[in-house]
Amino acid sequence: MAAPNNVPLGYEHVTDIRNGYGNGPGIISSSEELEVICGPLLNYLCMSYETECAVWHGTVLLVTKPGQRQPKLELKFLGNTAGASAQPNLAEGDNVVVDGLKLYADPQKAFWRFSLKVPLNPDAEAKWQYTISNMKMLSESSKSPSREFYVPAANQSMRLMFHSCNGFSVGTDVEFWSGPVLWNNVLETHAKRPFHVMIGGGDQIYNDSIRVDGPLKPWTEITSPRRRREYPFDNEMRKACDDYYFENYTRWYRTEPFATANSQIPQINIWDDHDIIDGFGSYTDHFMQCPVFRGIGGVSFKYYCLFQHHSAPPKSTFTTDAPATMKAGADGTTGADPRQLKDTYVYAETADDRSWIVGRRPGPYVEERSRCLYMRLGARMAFCGIDARTERTRKQVNYPDTYDLIFQRLRTEFAAARGQIKHLILLLGVPIAYPRLAWLENILASPIIAPIKLLHKRFGVAGGFFNSFDGSVDLLDDLDDHYTSRHHKKERRQLIERLQGLAQEFSVRITILGGDVHLAAMGRFYSKTKYNITAEQDHRYMANVISSAITNKPPPSAVANLLARRNKIHHLDHDTDETLLKLFDKQPGGNTKGATWNQCTMPSRNYATITEVVAGSVDNGMQQQQQPTMDGDISNHATNGLPVLNNEKDGLMTLAGGPQGKDGHSPLHKGEEGVGTKHPAADGVSAKSGMLGGLDVSIQVEINNHSKGGETEGYGFSIPPLLLHGKQNLT
């Protein structure tokens, strides 16, 4: 259907509804400028290798007032960061124009997606710029129409930044914690050596205030659990919650310096409970089934799709007065509600996002299917993020068939890569190699709590001890979230054992990222030392990098010290042990955060950096680097599958199998020797450990929460490659 003749040029999208649902707001703005509510936000999508050169795919999201002229984006190649040949088929200054695709529009806002395709230079990192002209920013965000970002060379793996818990819990003194200042440090590190992607491990935003000063406040104040469970979630309440989530997202995503990082460092995100509401999925099943929780599950999923994945949302979300929305259909999403589509347009995606692993059936409390992620992170690295919230219940993290889909996709991708993939970065919402607190779970769930609960119910005694939803002990939902919870013990063991099998089959080193717990640590699984297997040949060796929170306040030092005291040698099965590494050799900047004897858990805000170690990466990282080959052959610098390096004179570590300690409380390989502030990886920039083919990891820990600069102290360690099949070419 062609647009009517009276629609001005550039506004055809207002009446062209062929590719979506609903007629849209029908507004034509008279503004000569593009009125921007939020953005731009930059996401990384995937790599493709179908053409002669590798191609980087990403998206930019812009939120505007409705009825604007269709926006356009100009993509420009600015040059290489090292002295190498020009970009394939492009000269510096060449422009590519990208039209905005409207994902969603209603009378208050419109979401636009720009799809970017960037060819990679064979041997040099490159700098690119995108420009959206004529923008009128309706916030205090940068007024510049242009942003810059970096992509790796085709023979490089990406440099990563990992964060979680990017917001404040209800009641936190934001001024005392100086706001999200660690993002200033992230940007400083990015300026020294660019990040190619930043990974959000969950809680990219905190939506908990919806129950304190938002539309759920009257519902939360109902004292009867039965009345709260039966309370309807009608279209009026849905609209109020919809407005809340949108306004909270726009407020937070245009908060500096987080907004600047969002526009310059491509994001990968997986959600967790605070992206919905605190504890979602981990309360009792009969309470989680109530209409209000199912309703906010749908609304939060809508804005999670839009803001964090730049994907069109469901055409409608759950309400109790529209039967079509109360149960997902055969297509795995809710049906259409004409009231929700009034003056609204929702784009109909022609296919699932190519990075998604879509679950087979809807979650128990969200009428949508889970979205796990897979994408290549450059030449020798891959990423998988498990959606551990959509399918979560108190006794389950994910459906068994979702794990089957994940491992099927990983095996397919690894087989197609023909040995090129050497590292898998696996993102989980919470730590998995972490001290047990089963004894505390048992106490909080035991009958001895019943008298206190009765006094709380009748007289309000110990009000802060119980949550406002199902009346359970407030800490219990956090404990139930953990993979180390008694409810998830079997699921956890099965996941780790399947990962071990995958690592062994494809000789891929698996490194796990986890957040949620508001402190920093490094756990690891490994073969029992009685087998005398070096880490470089141990497919069971998996580091769990624990980085949390980048913004929220840390727990009291007593909690971190308690966890450190619980740092025992745990036995996953007959072959695998696990424990935390003693990583923190000193207090950050000399400021006491925990007990001086506690070197395992750090209660201070933090984020992590991960950089592949390649020959030549011993300076500031901006020089031309020699790269491992991509053919899977491992020949040079190798003896019996293990590399032998002669660089002790340069202060680099030699990878030669490493020491075998008495147990996991001792270093398990060279990369775990001398960890902390003096380790070569500590600065988070240079990647000069000499662990060729491995990863240098740094956890950047805040020194002083009153400093607006967000200064950090770095704690480094290295993760060795897995060398099981043949020989590896490391130069």
Side-chain angles (χ1 to χ4, degrees):
M1 179 178 73
N5 294 331
N6 61 349
V7 175
L9 185 65
Y11 292 86
E12 293 86 355
H13 68 87
V14 173
T15 56
D16 187 355
I17 59 173
R18 292 171 297 177
N19 297 320
Y21 308 98
N23 294 323
I27 297 172
I28 295 181
S29 172
S30 59
S31 174
E32 294 295 324
E33 298 174 298
L34 183 61
E35 297 180 302
V36 177
I37 298 173
C38 187
L41 310 176
L42 178 63
N43 267 23
Y44 171 63
L45 184 60
C46 66
M47 302 280 291
S48 64
Y49 298 91
E50 297 87 8
T51 59
E52 293 182 359
C53 66
V55 177
W56 179 100
H57 297 263
T59 57
V60 171
L61 183 80
L62 200 65
V63 187
T64 70
K65 290 286 189 178
Q68 307 277 297
R69 184 188 300 273
Q70 182 180 18
K72 296 181 182 294
L73 177 149
E74 291 186 3
L75 184 63
K76 180 188 294 186
F77 170 54
L78 296 184
N80 300 312
T81 59
S85 58
Q87 192 78 9
N89 305 319
L90 282 176
E92 290 187 27
D94 279 358
N95 285 11
V96 176
V97 177
V98 181
D99 290 333
L101 174 67
K102 187 169 64 179
L103 297 177
Y104 177 89
D106 65 26
Q108 283 73 48
K109 69 265 188 188
F111 287 78
W112 299 90
R113 180 177 71 202
F114 305 88
S115 296
L116 312 184
K117 293 177 64 176
V118 175
L120 301 187
N121 191 300
D123 57 4
E125 178 185 67
K127 184 178 184 180
W128 287 75
Q129 179 188 80
Y130 66 90
T131 300
I132 304 172
S133 300
N134 208 32
M135 289 194 298
K136 178 184 178 182
M137 309 300 288
L138 301 180
S139 69
E140 296 302 315
S141 299
S142 171
K143 308 297 183 183
S144 172
S146 301
R147 308 289 190 277
E148 297 170 354
F149 66 100
Y150 295 82
V151 296
N155 63 356
Q156 281 182 320
S157 297
M158 292 187 184
R159 179 165 141 78
L160 315 178
M161 175 265 182
F162 167 59
H163 68 92
S164 68
C165 302
N166 180 41
F168 290 102
S169 299
V170 171
T172 302
D173 186 343
V174 176
E175 288 302 315
F176 180 82
W177 292 97
S178 305
V181 293
L182 249 64
W183 288 103
N184 285 321
N185 191 266
V186 171
L187 291 171
E188 288 179 11
T189 306
H190 179 60
K192 294 175 184 176
R193 185 178 184 185
F195 295 114
H196 300 122
V197 72
M198 63 181 190
I199 299 171
D203 303 336
Q204 280 69 251
I205 183 172
Y206 276 56
N207 287 312
D208 306 338
S209 62
I210 191 172
R211 67 175 177 83
V212 177
D213 52 21
L216 292 192
K217 182 179 180 181
W219 173 77
T220 307
E221 292 176 342
I222 296 173
T223 57
S224 166
R226 180 185 60 80
R227 286 181 57 210
R228 278 204 303 271
R229 286 198 305 270
E230 296 174 354
Y231 198 90
F233 192 84
D234 58 18
N235 193 50
E236 181 180 355
M237 192 171 190
R238 178 208 61 80
K239 178 63 168 62
C241 291
D242 192 287
D243 291 343
Y244 166 86
Y245 278 98
F246 173 72
E247 290 165 6
N248 201 43
Y249 260 103
T250 54
R251 176 194 63 82
W252 187 244
Y253 271 68
R254 61 193 186 198
T255 298
E256 294 291 358
F258 178 49
T260 295
N262 274 332
S263 67
Q264 296 181 1
I265 309 174
Q267 304 169 71
I268 302 172
N269 295 315
I270 286 287
W271 70 344
D272 205 24
D273 58 333
H274 294 282
D275 298 279
I276 311 169
I277 195 171
D278 184 21
F280 187 93
S282 293
Y283 300 116
T284 54
D285 180 71
H286 70 278
F287 189 73
M288 285 302 312
Q289 293 284 359
C290 79
V292 169
F293 266 109
R294 294 175 68 192
I296 62 171
V299 175
S300 60
F301 183 85
K302 169 183 176 178
Y303 287 108
Y304 170 61
C305 286
L306 285 165
F307 278 97
Q308 299 197 43
H309 289 285
H310 305 180
S311 180
K315 50 187 173 290
S316 299
T317 63
F318 175 95
T319 66
T320 50
D321 53 359
T325 68
M326 294 181 67
K327 188 174 179 59
D331 58 353
T333 187
T334 55
D337 180 358
R339 299 169 306 167
Q340 295 186 41
L341 289 173
K342 185 177 185 295
D343 299 327
T344 297
Y345 171 83
V346 182
Y347 176 66
E349 297 280 5
T350 56
D352 286 331
D353 185 321
R354 70 177 78 184
S355 66
W356 281 356
I357 306 170
V358 181
R360 289 197 176 105
R361 49 201 168 111
Y365 315 125
V366 181
E367 297 303 321
E368 302 294 336
R369 295 178 290 174
S370 62
R371 266 74 168 173
C372 299
L373 299 177
Y374 174 86
M375 60 265 287
R376 281 286 287 271
L377 299 180
R380 290 165 298 281
M381 197 181 295
F383 170 83
C384 179
I386 296 183
D387 177 352
R389 193 51 58 178
T390 304
E391 298 172 355
R392 180 181 286 273
T393 69
R394 174 165 273 188
K395 297 183 179 181
Q396 162 195 285
V397 180
N398 287 98
Y399 296 139
D401 47 69
T402 295
Y403 288 117
D404 292 341
L405 289 172
I406 292 168
F407 281 93
Q408 178 183 339
R409 175 72 175 268
L410 290 174
R411 283 193 163 81
T412 299
E413 297 284 353
F414 287 1
R418 297 180 178 274
Q420 293 180 0
I421 297 173
K422 305 301 180 185
H423 290 274
L424 173 67
I425 307 298
L426 177 69
L427 173 61
L428 305 176
V430 295
I432 196 166
Y434 198 64
R436 274 49 160 189
L437 290 175
W439 59 274
L440 183 56
E441 286 184 79
N442 291 335
I443 292 173
L444 297 180
S446 71
I448 67 173
I449 296 295
I452 305 175
K453 186 180 290 188
L454 179 63
L455 290 172
H456 165 69
K457 182 177 180 181
R458 295 194 175 178
F459 306 110
V461 172
F465 191 62
F466 300 94
N467 69 62
S468 302
F469 297 133
D470 64 355
S472 298
V473 176
D474 194 41
L475 183 61
L476 199 54
D477 69 283
D478 292 312
L479 294 174
D480 284 336
D481 266 358
H482 290 193
Y483 278 98
T484 51
S485 164
R486 55 186 176 152
H487 295 308
H488 306 313
K489 185 176 180 180
K490 180 180 179 182
E491 184 176 356
R492 173 182 183 269
R493 177 178 55 78
Q494 291 176 339
L495 172 59
I496 293 300
E497 289 176 347
R498 292 182 77 169
L499 290 170
Q500 291 173 345
L502 188 76
Q504 184 177 39
E505 180 179 354
F506 293 97
S507 191
V508 171
R509 173 68 72 205
I510 297 175
T511 299
I512 302 171
L513 307 181
D516 184 71
V517 292
H518 297 187
L519 49 76
M522 201 285 243
R524 61 262 212 269
F525 298 96
Y526 52 92
S527 291
K528 291 190 174 184
T529 53
K530 67 180 182 181
Y531 293 130
N532 198 30
I533 302 173
T534 61
E536 296 77 25
Q537 295 179 319
D538 184 5
H539 65 280
R540 299 185 186 95
Y541 180 86
M542 287 183 276
N544 184 188
V545 180
I546 302 165
S547 179
S548 170
I550 193 170
T551 296
N552 208 352
K553 67 179 181 180
S557 59
V559 174
N561 296 338
L562 171 64
L563 289 165
R565 290 193 185 278
R566 299 295 302 168
N567 184 34
K568 312 296 184 184
I569 302 292
H570 294 287
H571 310 295
L572 178 78
D573 54 28
H574 294 299
D575 301 313
T576 309
D577 282 348
E578 55 180 288
T579 194
L580 297 180
L581 176 69
K582 293 180 180 179
L583 174 61
F584 305 103
D585 59 322
K586 55 177 283 191
Q587 298 293 314
N591 292 336
T592 302
K593 304 289 185 176
T596 55
W597 56 263
N598 176 8
Q599 296 183 339
C600 298
T601 57
M602 175 59 70
S604 186
R605 297 191 293 186
N606 62 88
Y607 67 93
T609 71
I610 301 175
T611 310
E612 183 187 35
V613 184
V614 294
S617 57
V618 296
D619 259 331
N620 62 5
M622 299 301 288
Q623 67 187 56
Q624 177 66 32
Q625 298 178 355
Q626 298 177 11
Q627 304 291 339
T629 61
M630 295 181 59
D631 59 5
D633 179 40
I634 303 187
S635 53
N636 297 337
H637 294 287
T639 303
N640 296 326
L642 294 178
V644 178
L645 310 177
N646 297 310
N647 44 23
E648 294 289 348
K649 60 181 174 55
D650 297 319
L652 307 182
M653 64 181 60
T654 299
L655 174 61
Q660 279 292 299
K662 294 180 180 179
D663 56 38
H665 287 150
S666 304
L668 295 172
H669 55 81
K670 283 286 186 180
E672 291 185 0
E673 285 190 326
V675 296
T677 56
K678 297 180 181 179
H679 191 276
D683 65 1
V685 174
S686 57
K688 61 183 180 182
S689 70
M691 182 72 78
L692 294 191
L695 303 176
D696 273 2
V697 181
S698 176
I699 299 182
Q700 297 290 314
V701 176
E702 183 178 44
I703 294 173
N704 181 1
N705 62 277
H706 298 300
S707 172
K708 297 295 184 181
E711 294 83 4
T712 61
E713 179 106 58
Y715 298 82
F717 56 94
S718 297
I719 297 171
L722 181 60
L723 308 174
L724 294 181
H725 303 156
K727 298 178 180 180
Q728 179 169 345
N729 189 338
L730 296 171
T731 60

